[in-house]
Amino acid sequence: MPVKVSVIVPVYNPGPYIEDCIASLLRQSLPPDEFEVIFVDDGSTDGTPARLDALAAGHPHIRVIHQENSGWSGKPRNVGIAASEGEFVMFVDNDDYLGDEALERMYEYGVENKADVIVGKMAGKGRPVPVELFRRNRPHATVENAPLIDSLTPHKMLRRSFLDRTGLRFPEGRRRLEDHVFITEAYLRADNVSVIGDYVCYYHVKRDDAANAGFQRFEPVGYFKNLREALDVVERYTEPGPLRDRLLRRWLRVEMVERMSGRRLLAMPDDYRRELFHEMHGVVLERFGPGVAPALRPGQRIVASLIRDDRYDDLVAYAQWETGVGPKAAPTGVEWQDGTLRIAFTGEYSSGGQPLTFPADGPGTPADSAPRDIDEAAAWLGADAVGGFEKATVDLILRDRATSASYFQPVEVTRERVPAGDGRVRLVLRGTATVAPGTAEGGGPLHGGLWDAYVRVGLGGWSKECRLGPAPRQGRPTPPAGVVAGRVVLPYWTKQYDNFSLDVDRASKALGVGRLTPEDAAVSGDHRLSLVLPLYVPDRADVLVRFTDTASGRSLRETGTLTPADGAGSLLETSVPVRGMSGATWRTEVCLVPEAEAPRFLGLPLALHVTRAGGIRVAGPPAPGLLLRLVRKARRVVGAVLGKNA
């Protein structure tokens, strides 16, 4: 069959960190005869060459090319392009990995939309990745209608004929930002770019030893020389004007302003940040015209103006002040409603643990002036926040704790000015997010795992995230678990910090059924068992009930139903097949999602004693045997030890 995708992986001394990459390539849902993997070993001196040769010997769709060390990733990628046979090429780094369906989804989306470039949703494991770009699917994206320029890493799928038609290749040699040069030109010359926002295709990983190429300290002179080459690409393919200014603004914002801000600046040694500052100052004066900086956020404009005006000491002082300002998000309500979870919360900025207050009026941050001192900077930012309050934003983001995959949830927002005395106000954003567990576009769907809730507050000069919480333990909203869209979703508060999270398809004891007693169950004359469970269901749902003989271990299964009950619970009803159960005691379990790939049964704290005459008596669960009690005790001891060390 024709090769659909060629995956190109430049390799240099990854050691064990390549194993996740290899495993993800072997797990791809795209059949092996429809894609190839080309590892280009750039002169590795560890055991990787032998590891890859052995891998290729066992998998016909995997090839290895060995070459002398070239110094960086550009040449290995170009060698891979030359050797590729696929309709598309996909670039993967040797210490990252793909989602299991990444190649299939990206290929199909690219073909469907006639795209030259396909950008798959990214998740950062210890590394920052773009978020706004992946808020939704974008079948026809351009640098004008989407924030493509925020994603310049090479981890994209590109049509091979597009690369050949344009002659586009990576700059080679030991250098930086070769991916910026390549991807920027690809965006600007492609007939179409498509963005996948509803499935994580690429996991960008920070190694435990922090030895990723991108994490190594760079030499400022060479780095900003290479940065100028990326700016050259923008100027080559755009005309002077607002679009060019917006694209150039990306390098000012990401490569300069963000590096020279807050904790990131203060964490660097003074001599190194002075070198960076000197080079940035030169680039700002040389390459960024008057239309670039004004559209930055107010706080970013202040940093950019201090770099431009060569005011290093004031820049450090501003960073020290800025580190004390951050958002706080307090939950005000959580409830199930019409099959969705409604989460109400407030968001505002604080400093020193106290709500930040702002002058009710005053001049905002000028487009091209730097503040005289911190007090003036704070006054400018406060006035910007007040003046632009009607445009302030608040988002609720659910982030998978295991993979860092992030999904925006729809939020309804209201804005409130709260008087704080002395002519000052608090600016409070009130949001209500709607979490629909089965929604694919933008909101999931939520797969099994633990999901932490984050709130991002955009106000004036800031756009920062924080966890949703903490919530006081007394009186905080605690809705029951819900059985919704084929998922069991448990809203809960974390034990250590009292922040809000969701447990999807993992919880058992925490669902609350263990608190039920035999008195909560009833058996009718026609052998129908009914029991109110502390679970939310939006409408009728089929479940599976399993009865297990406590003596023989023999099991019987019956279909049951869950229907909404008065209050927050649901009514479980099922038939009891007494003909096959007489003269025994039966343990009872329920599977809330029978259609799941791996159905999971939840033990109910009751047993059914069935007489030989067919009578049924409901009692508590039988006491466990000695061996089971010892096993449970050992698990509790181990759990306590691990909990203390966590």
Side-chain angles (χ1 to χ4, degrees):
M1 293 184 63
V3 176
K4 293 180 176 178
V5 182
S6 298
V7 182
I8 299 170
V9 187
V11 178
Y12 181 71
N13 286 353
Y17 294 99
I18 199 173
E19 295 302 326
D20 285 344
C21 177
I22 291 172
S24 76
L25 292 169
L26 296 178
R27 289 196 307 267
Q28 287 301 298
S29 59
L30 193 66
D33 60 352
E34 295 184 15
F35 76 99
E36 64 176 351
V37 181
I38 304 173
F39 290 100
V40 183
D41 171 38
D42 197 39
S44 294
T45 58
D46 60 2
T48 302
R51 168 73 175 102
L52 295 178
D53 288 340
L55 179 70
H59 297 85
H61 67 301
I62 295 178
R63 288 189 278 158
V64 183
I65 298 173
H66 299 282
Q67 65 179 32
E68 293 184 1
N69 182 256
S70 67
W72 209 248
S73 300
K75 184 174 181 179
R77 293 192 188 108
N78 289 341
V79 169
I81 293 172
S84 66
E85 299 178 359
E87 182 183 353
F88 289 84
V89 297
M90 172 78 193
F91 298 107
V92 178
D93 282 351
N94 61 193
D95 35 27
D96 297 334
Y97 63 92
L98 296 176
D100 292 356
E101 301 173 19
L103 297 183
E104 182 178 13
R105 286 178 179 246
M106 294 177 75
Y107 175 82
E108 290 179 352
Y109 202 59
V111 171
E112 176 186 352
N113 295 295
K114 298 180 174 59
D116 290 328
V117 183
I118 304 96
V119 186
K121 184 182 181 75
M122 301 178 72
K125 303 194 73 173
R127 305 187 68 161
V129 297
V131 175
E132 190 64 34
L133 175 62
F134 303 115
R135 183 185 283 264
R136 63 180 184 277
N137 290 336
R138 303 174 191 265
H140 302 285
T142 69
V143 293
E144 297 181 68
N145 66 22
L148 287 174
I149 204 68
D150 287 349
S151 181
L152 294 181
T153 61
H155 316 120
K156 318 285 189 282
M157 186 178 287
L158 296 97
R159 192 180 294 272
R160 173 65 193 272
S161 60
F162 165 69
L163 297 180
D164 291 343
R165 182 177 75 250
T166 59
L168 185 58
R169 295 296 186 270
F170 287 90
E172 297 184 2
R174 185 162 185 80
R175 51 162 295 133
R176 291 282 186 153
L177 303 181
E178 81 290 341
D179 47 358
H180 287 209
V181 174
F182 179 89
I183 294 298
T184 300
E185 185 168 345
Y187 287 157
L188 292 172
R189 301 185 70 181
D191 289 336
N192 185 38
V193 180
S194 295
V195 180
I196 294 177
D198 61 0
Y199 178 81
V200 178
C201 298
Y202 197 93
Y203 292 88
H204 205 23
V205 182
K206 180 181 180 181
R207 288 166 49 162
D208 293 337
D209 60 1
N212 309 74
F215 276 88
Q216 306 309 303
R217 178 185 289 192
F218 57 80
E219 187 274 314
V221 173
Y223 185 90
F224 286 100
K225 176 179 179 293
N226 296 151
L227 184 145
R228 287 175 172 89
E229 296 172 21
L231 305 184
D232 290 341
V233 172
V234 173
E235 294 179 354
R236 186 179 311 130
Y237 293 104
T238 63
E239 296 295 328
L243 175 61
R244 176 185 288 184
D245 288 340
R246 179 154 59 85
L247 297 179
L248 295 178
R249 192 174 303 124
R250 184 265 175 215
W251 282 273
L252 174 61
R253 172 173 52 85
V254 178
E255 307 300 329
M256 302 181 196
V257 168
E258 291 181 2
R259 276 198 170 93
M260 293 286 106
S261 298
R263 291 182 176 85
R264 190 172 178 185
L265 172 68
L266 300 177
M268 290 186 277
D270 183 70
D271 59 343
Y272 183 58
R273 64 194 187 199
R274 285 181 182 273
E275 290 182 57
L276 289 173
F277 182 84
H278 176 74
E279 293 301 320
M280 292 176 185
H281 172 67
V283 175
V284 169
L285 292 181
E286 172 191 332
R287 300 302 296 265
F288 298 139
V292 176
L296 291 170
R297 289 180 174 273
Q300 295 172 339
R301 289 206 302 273
I302 289 173
V303 174
S305 66
L306 293 172
I307 295 172
R308 181 201 62 204
D309 293 352
D310 204 16
R311 292 170 56 183
Y312 173 79
D313 292 336
D314 290 335
L315 181 74
V316 173
Y318 179 74
Q320 291 169 337
W321 172 80
E322 188 184 26
T323 56
V325 177
K328 291 185 67 176
T332 58
V334 184
E335 64 177 351
W336 289 103
Q337 188 179 106
D338 299 327
T340 64
L341 190 65
R342 301 272 289 176
I343 305 170
F345 59 95
T346 62
E348 64 178 314
Y349 275 86
S350 66
S351 179
Q354 298 298 316
L356 202 60
T357 63
F358 302 87
D361 53 39
T365 306
D368 58 358
S369 298
R372 293 187 301 270
D373 51 33
I374 296 301
D375 289 341
E376 185 171 55
W380 285 357
L381 291 174
D384 282 315
V386 173
F389 189 43
E390 295 308 314
K391 296 181 180 179
T393 61
V394 64
D395 288 300
L396 187 132
I397 302 168
L398 292 180
R399 184 163 294 144
D400 182 2
R401 195 177 298 173
T403 67
S404 298
S406 299
Y407 294 96
F408 287 88
Q409 307 302 304
V411 177
E412 302 166 12
V413 183
T414 59
R415 301 164 181 85
E416 181 179 356
R417 289 177 168 85
V418 180
D422 297 327
R424 302 180 71 84
V425 293
R426 288 169 53 196
L427 302 178
V428 180
L429 294 159
R430 299 188 181 277
T432 301
T434 301
V435 178
T439 300
E441 181 77 10
L446 301 182
H447 54 255
L450 301 178
W451 294 81
D452 295 321
Y454 287 81
V455 172
R456 185 168 70 170
V457 181
L459 175 66
W462 300 292
S463 180
K464 299 183 181 183
E465 284 183 7
C466 65
R467 286 285 271 119
L468 177 55
R473 298 193 176 188
Q474 295 295 326
R476 66 188 179 191
T478 308
V483 183
V484 180
R487 298 291 187 191
V488 181
V489 181
L490 173 67
Y492 75 100
W493 304 95
T494 60
K495 291 182 178 179
Q496 186 171 5
Y497 297 110
D498 295 314
N499 292 323
F500 186 75
S501 297
L502 298 178
D503 180 313
V504 180
D505 290 345
R506 287 180 41 141
S508 55
K509 292 182 179 179
L511 297 180
V513 298
R515 295 190 293 270
L516 299 173
T517 67
E519 289 72 27
D520 296 313
V523 179
S524 65
D526 58 352
H527 304 140
R528 295 277 300 173
L529 172 68
S530 60
L531 176 68
V532 175
L533 301 180
L535 301 171
Y536 167 82
V537 292
D539 45 35
R540 183 183 182 278
D542 290 332
V543 297
L544 194 61
V545 180
R546 183 168 66 186
F547 304 100
T548 303
D549 186 338
T550 59
S552 68
R554 183 169 63 94
S555 294
L556 300 172
R557 297 189 179 191
E558 282 288 320
T559 299
T561 60
L562 276 180
T563 53
D566 292 338
S570 57
L571 178 65
L572 168 65
E573 294 182 291
T574 186
S575 296
V576 180
V578 293
R579 289 186 178 180
M581 300 173 66
S582 61
T585 298
W586 299 80
R587 209 169 50 245
T588 309
E589 302 165 287
V590 61
C591 176
L592 299 171
V593 187
E595 66 272 19
E597 292 184 7
R600 190 167 60 103
F601 282 87
L602 182 69
L604 299 176
L606 54 86
L608 301 183
H609 297 296
V610 183
T611 68
R612 294 189 183 279
I616 302 174
R617 181 171 61 87
V618 182
L626 176 62
L627 178 59
L628 183 56
R629 290 200 301 271
L630 291 174
V631 169
R632 288 179 176 175
K633 183 176 181 180
R635 286 176 176 170
R636 286 195 297 269
V637 171
V638 171
V641 172
L642 293 176
K644 290 179 180 178
N645 294 333

